Amino acid sequence: MNTTPIYVPDRRLVRRDFIRYASASALVLPAMSLLTSCGGGESQSSEKKEAADASGGRTLGIALVGLGKYSEGELAPALKETKLCRLAGIVTGTPEKAEKWKKEYNIPDKNIYNYQTFDRIADNPDIDIVYVVLPNALHAEYVIRAAQAGKHVICEKPMATNAADCQKMIDACRKAGKKLSIGYRLHFEPFNREMMRLGQTQEFGKVNRIIAQNGQKQGMDTPWRLGKGLSGGGPLPDVGVYCIQGAIYTKGQVPVSVTAKFHPITDKEKFSEVEEGVDFQMEFPDGTVAACKTSYNDKYNILRAEAASGWFALEPAYQYDGLKGTTSKGEMKLENLNQQARQMDAFADCILNNQETTVPGEMGMRDVQLIEAIYRAAQTGNRVSTKDIIQVLDKTAAEQA
């Protein structure tokens, strides 16, 4: 197995692979109630109108770049429930998808782009935010191009396939004077925010141990995830990043070192380019250890903190809906809300009020740096220091407690 993790591919090969894949597959405002309509030419609900009035009468137009399963199954439906933004445009290399989305979401022709015409988005005042939902290796290119086109940007996780690209993305958005946010939906989700609050305020005392596990049975329906050229790695940058995130925002500290070990390969054909799974440990400045694991060949979904005078946990912790939380004192009586709608509304609110996002590009870069360190630890069998990675934390749940 090639264990080179965060792969820096030849851009020409990445583009060619993506085009071939696409062709083959036909490729926060918590108190507000949910909406029934949004975007395109549909009429606004009274809730959306009230939110727009409160924001000075504006809602922001979002263009989705890449119309794969996440855009189709999660982001587009969520945009029907947002209060401060709407689906305004799409970017796709598949004409059939463009036609389908045009009809379903009443998107005008002038707001539909392909990858060759993407840069013309600069001339479109309907679009305020570009949401990059492409395979990982293409994130950097399209975030940079979106910033150069004068648009604010949301980039799906992982931010990029290497930390150097992350820095280029941050620099491009800063130079353009545009905001950059990473698609970390769980920072806006009630159960995970409660984990942040409980851990960072030490309601159960000092957190001494964290368990974070996220695994899934990866099929061949998205083959680019199993190829290093477009994915940059296997489950670690895909679903394992939620373990990294969960442990950090529960503890409220950035790790100082990591250790790791790859899982044995059980399917040499399927996992010929990326890891099947990895166990890793993150050590925090006060000695607390987060025991984490991620896999493309097993199912688990848990975030648990063991503290001096109790414990608190989510299971499932990271999925789009159906999250459940329990503490040593009883059940977390919280509501499952649309995570993506809250995430996008939060970013729109930051833009409308010129505030900083709680999930900036620097946080995405931090996690890519940690992913690189975990891979080095697994490859060498050594403890790898992470003291020099970028220091950024989301402390809003504790501060609002």
Side-chain angles (χ1 to χ4, degrees), residues 58-78:
R58 283 200 69 198
T59 59
L60 302 184
I62 292 183
L64 297 177
V65 184
L67 305 183
K69 292 197 299 182
Y70 190 60
S71 286
E72 183 175 23
E74 303 300 332
L75 294 177

Side-chain angles (χ1 to χ4, degrees), residues 177-250:
K178 297 299 171 182
K179 297 186 185 298
L180 171 60
S181 178
I182 309 303
Y184 286 144
R185 56 191 166 80
L186 295 178
H187 283 253
F188 309 95
E189 187 282 316
F191 286 92
N192 280 272
R193 287 188 64 79
E194 180 67 353
M195 292 294 289
M196 295 183 206
R197 186 189 72 81
L198 292 173
Q200 293 182 28
T201 63
Q202 298 190 10
E203 187 163 312
F204 289 88
K206 175 181 174 289
V207 172
N208 295 314
R209 184 169 184 259
I210 294 171
I211 299 169
Q213 302 175 358
N214 195 17
Q216 66 184 32
K217 293 277 190 175
Q218 181 64 40
M220 295 301 297
D221 51 333
T222 50
W224 67 265
R225 293 191 181 280
L226 297 171
K228 65 183 178 182
L230 286 172
S231 67
L236 180 59
D238 182 15
V239 295
V241 72
Y242 291 114
C243 300
I244 294 171
Q245 278 258 308
I248 291 174
Y249 58 61
T250 299

Side-chain angles (χ1 to χ4, degrees), residues 26-69:
L27 264 173
V28 155
L29 298 177
M32 295 183 178
S33 58
L34 299 180
L35 298 178
T36 56
S37 65
C38 170
E42 297 176 332
S43 61
Q44 291 182 329
S45 68
S46 59
E47 294 93 339
K48 193 176 190 77
K49 186 175 184 303
E50 288 172 5
D53 290 344
S55 65
R58 283 200 69 198
T59 59
L60 302 184
I62 292 183
L64 297 177
V65 184
L67 305 183
K69 292 197 299 182

